[in-house]
Amino acid sequence: MTSHIKSELSLLSELFLSILLTACIAIYLYKTFETFPWLPFIGIPIGLAIMVACWERKKHSWSMFITGLIVSSIVWSIVFNWSSLLGIFH
């Protein structure tokens, strides 16, 4: 396997890990609380992204993981709060 293929697989695995992690946290919060706590849900992945960014001193080593965490947390927050968002606009 060439180094290019290994780096591409690493980027994909980081992206899938971030999506899976935020999905698991979102489902847990959705099943545990009566109303979905969207602010803590967005705060958990952002805090984890900051910790990973500070922990890894290399500039672009975990960029796909951090981006995936932030984007998927925003998307999952919209998905699980869709009914309350529609209630705001009426």
Side-chain angles (χ1 to χ4, degrees):
M1 217 187 266
T2 64
S3 63
H4 177 69
I5 294 172
K6 286 182 182 179
S7 67
E8 290 292 324
L9 287 175
S10 175
L11 287 175
L12 281 176
S13 65
E14 288 174 14
L15 181 64
F16 288 138
L17 178 66
S18 66
I19 292 171
L20 182 67
L21 183 66
T22 53
C24 290
I25 293 171
I27 291 171
Y28 170 74
L29 291 175
Y30 183 73
K31 297 284 185 183
T32 304
F33 297 103
E34 200 168 303
T35 59
F36 187 75
W38 61 273
L39 194 58
F41 174 67
I42 292 176
I44 291 169
I46 288 175
L48 183 62
I50 291 170
M51 283 187 269
V52 168
C54 292
W55 181 37
E56 281 295 316
R57 300 199 186 261
K58 298 175 186 170
K59 191 165 185 136
H60 299 289
S61 62
W62 287 84
S63 61
M64 188 62 83
F65 181 73
I66 293 170
T67 305
L69 274 176
I70 294 171
V71 170
S72 63
S73 67
I74 292 170
V75 169
W76 285 119
S77 181
I78 291 171
V79 166
F80 283 109
N81 282 321
W82 189 252
S83 61
S84 64
L85 289 175
L86 290 178
I88 292 172
F89 296 124
H90 287 308

